[in-house]
Structures are given as structure tokens and as C-alpha cells.
Amino acid sequence: MAKDLDKKLAVGQGLDRYASAVGLIGALLSTLGFILAFVLAAPVNGASVDGVEMIGGQMVSNQLLFSQKIFYFHMPAAVTSMVALAFTAWFGIRFLTTRDARYDLRAKLATEIALLFIIMTMFSGEMWERFEWGVWWTWEPRLTTYFILMLLVFAYFILRTAVDEPERRATYASVFGIITFIDVPICFMITRLIPSSVHPVVFRTDSGLSPDMLVPLLLSMFGMFCIAFALYRLRLRTETMAQEVDAIKREIDE
Amino acid sequence: MNPILEQIYATIIPSAPYVIAAYALMWAALCVFVVFALSRLKRTEAQLAVLESTLASRQDDLTDQIRKQ
């Protein structure tokens, strides 16, 4: 049993063998998604104009919104951050049930990755907001719940640095990681719970996205999942090595 | 330009800097993280190599001492 667990949590083999390749695939997919977002996806319609024009064989009677191109990376980054936080919660639960410190390390690194993608989401969202809504910030339901999520992730790291004793730190962080994850479904569902929200509901039976829009979006999303996985494994390898360094230092001191 | 087309394309040029900034900021954040992760990996690898060689030489010294005794 213990051997199985050791094998599962081993670093430097298995999953790590594929991490670089997955990272490369992620870079390729997201680059392809980026290119197709500009080349393949048609611009969405904005406000109506005072007439109709024929563009590319189609009757156009609305403004074409170029700013919507931000969406093709903005939403995948947000979804990736939420998936990473699901792993934080999962590893937190695993730590609380097994008391194995390796799960705590994994939870910390998953949260690190979540923070990176939260920052990316915030950056891109800010640019959209400034241009389309004319403000840098508004307390719109999706924005507010995502902002709370970002604060919870900051608080997670503050909590980790505030507690010195490793076992206690891991326990508190695991519980806090699970609590942080509770905001993820709230944030995801808020556009359904409060339909007045200006954020669209993208994931539904009929997403309203035509294939030319869906393809770049999905490519970017799977690309980001791959990048997140590769970065997570890279950080895990480094942190495991750092623990080895500490162990050797202790051995030399003795 | 046709006034209708002018209206249709009215937001393209003004929104371009924001679209470029959004993608640039996202890539910058990603690059900063990758650089941080790789530099930390390199530093840790270097530390590990030094410590392993120190440990190995200590063990060699210890073995020599035991042999001499």
C-alpha cells in the first residue's frame, strides 16, 4: 500500500517524462488557438448601425467588435485557474485523510498555478472592461466573485507563511484550500443565478458559439490546461529537489 | 469611406491597443512565471550537486579514516 503511494507520488519519472512534451503541445495548441481567433473566428456584433452593408457575402448591420478577441484567452485562463483550484481542494482532502506531506506540497503548487492563471484572467479582463464598459472596475457579480476568489488565493499563501509548524501549516492550508474552492462553483454559476450579469453564459447546451469561434476557444483552453500541467510538474520537480537539498544539509550538519 | 462601413468598423482601431495589451500582459505573466520556475530549478540543481559532492567527499574521508584505524 505504502509502496503504491510512493510510486504514485514519485517525481522525476512517469508523468515528468511527458511534462515537457505536454508543455510543448500546450504552447502549440494555444498559439494555434490565438492565430485562429484572429483568422478564423468572425468578429461578434455590437451596436446597430444606420444601414446595412455586404461584407464577405454577409449582410452586416452592426458594429464589429474586435475587442471580443480577448475572450479567446480570457475565458480559457479563467477555467484553467478554476481547474487548478479543484486540484488544490482535492490534494487538501488527500492530505487531511492521509497526513502525507507530499499532498500538501502538491496543493500549494496547484494554488500557485491557479494564481498565475487568475492574474492572467484579471489582466485580460481589465483590458476588455476598460474598452467595452469604460471603467477599470465594476462590482458586477462574476467580477466580484472572481475577485473574492483571487483574495482567497492570496490569503492561502499568507496563511502558509504565517504558520511555522509544518504539520499545522499543512492542515490549515488544506482546510483553507477546500474553503477557497467553494467559491469556484459560485463564480462559475453566478451568470446563471443572476442573469442580469453582463458576462455571457458560455457553457450550456447551445453555447451560442459558432464552430469558427468554438474551435479557437477550445484549442486555447486545452493548450492552457497542458501548459498548466507542465508548469505544475516543473515546480513539483524543483520543490522535491529543494526538499532533498534540505535533507542533505541536515545530514551534513549532523 | 462609406459612412455605414465607417460605423461598422468604428471600434476596430480604438480597441486594438487594448486587445494587444491584454495578450501581451497575459504572455508577460506567463513568461515571468516560467523564468521564475526555471531559475529556481537551476539554483536548486546547482545546490544539490554541490551538496552531493560534499557529502560524497565526507563519506570518502570517513571510509579512509576507518581503513587507517
Side-chain angles (χ1 to χ4, degrees):
Chain A
M1 182 82 174
K3 261 188 181 175
D4 282 350
L5 187 68
D6 282 346
K7 209 175 163 188
K8 216 167 89 183
L9 297 178
V11 173
Q13 47 188 300
L15 289 173
D16 283 313
R17 226 177 292 147
Y18 306 108
S20 323
V22 172
L24 193 65
I25 291 167
L28 287 173
L29 286 179
S30 52
T31 307
L32 194 62
F34 171 76
I35 293 168
L36 292 181
F38 287 87
V39 176
L40 179 73
V44 297
N45 292 333
S48 307
V49 296
D50 305 328
V52 178
E53 269 299 323
M54 185 71 97
I55 302 171
Q58 282 192 325
M59 303 291 270
V60 179
S61 60
N62 296 76
Q63 281 186 338
L64 297 178
L65 298 183
F66 183 64
S67 56
Q68 189 267 346
K69 301 288 180 194
I70 292 172
F71 164 81
Y72 295 98
F73 263 40
H74 172 72
M75 201 203 86
V79 172
T80 309
S81 71
M82 289 174 178
V83 171
L85 283 172
F87 278 100
T88 300
W90 168 246
F91 288 133
I93 292 167
R94 293 297 290 147
F95 172 78
L96 293 174
T97 50
T98 62
R99 295 279 154 186
D100 190 326
R102 287 175 292 186
Y103 284 119
D104 176 51
L105 174 65
R106 280 157 174 77
K108 183 189 116 180
L109 298 178
T111 319
E112 246 181 42
I113 301 298
L115 182 60
L116 167 68
F117 283 91
I118 285 173
I119 289 169
M120 287 167 69
T121 308
M122 281 297 193
F123 278 160
S124 52
E126 278 305 301
M127 292 300 122
W128 161 266
E129 210 178 317
R130 186 73 191 100
F131 182 75
E132 282 301 327
W133 303 343
V135 289
W136 285 109
W137 187 259
T138 178
W139 295 104
E140 186 260 348
R142 170 60 66 75
L143 257 69
T144 307
T145 48
Y146 200 73
F147 181 68
I148 292 168
L149 191 70
M150 186 177 77
L151 292 182
L152 285 169
V153 170
F154 283 145
Y156 175 90
F157 288 108
I158 292 167
L159 176 72
R160 289 196 75 93
T161 49
V163 184
D164 284 333
E165 209 262 299
E167 175 88 19
R168 218 150 53 94
R169 179 178 57 215
T171 308
Y172 290 171
S174 298
V175 173
F176 197 81
I178 296 163
I179 292 169
T180 303
F181 178 69
I182 292 170
D183 192 36
V184 169
I186 295 172
C187 184
F188 186 79
M189 295 299 290
I190 200 77
T191 46
R192 290 160 181 84
L193 299 172
I194 306 174
S196 63
S197 168
V198 286
H199 267 89
V201 179
V202 177
F203 286 117
R204 53 190 164 136
T205 322
D206 166 27
S207 70
L209 290 178
S210 53
D212 61 318
M213 293 167 93
L214 202 58
V215 169
L217 179 75
L218 292 179
L219 283 175
S220 303
M221 194 183 296
F222 287 113
M224 284 199 191
F225 287 164
C226 293
I227 290 171
F229 171 77
L231 289 176
Y232 165 77
R233 291 308 296 190
L234 175 71
R235 290 288 297 126
L236 183 61
R237 218 176 110 204
T238 309
E239 288 302 307
T240 311
M241 220 182 272
Q243 284 179 346
E244 238 171 89
V245 167
D246 288 340
I248 294 175
K249 273 182 187 167
R250 273 197 302 275
E251 206 176 311
I252 290 172
D253 287 344
E254 282 162 13
Chain B
M1 196 198 239
N2 174 340
I4 306 293
L5 279 178
E6 230 170 77
Q7 280 183 46
I8 288 171
Y9 292 123
T11 68
I12 303 279
I13 299 295
S15 67
Y18 292 91
V19 176
I20 294 166
Y23 279 99
L25 285 169
M26 279 195 282
W27 280 114
L30 195 61
C31 287
V32 166
F33 188 85
V34 170
V35 167
F36 154 77
L38 286 177
S39 63
R40 193 159 154 74
L41 177 69
K42 291 265 177 288
R43 209 172 46 231
T44 314
E45 272 175 348
Q47 272 183 335
L48 191 63
V50 169
L51 285 171
E52 273 175 348
S53 66
T54 310
L55 199 66
S57 66
R58 275 198 179 193
Q59 274 171 346
D60 287 346
D61 291 347
L62 207 66
T63 317
D64 287 347
Q65 275 179 4
I66 291 165
R67 269 193 200 142
K68 277 176 192 169
Q69 280 170 6

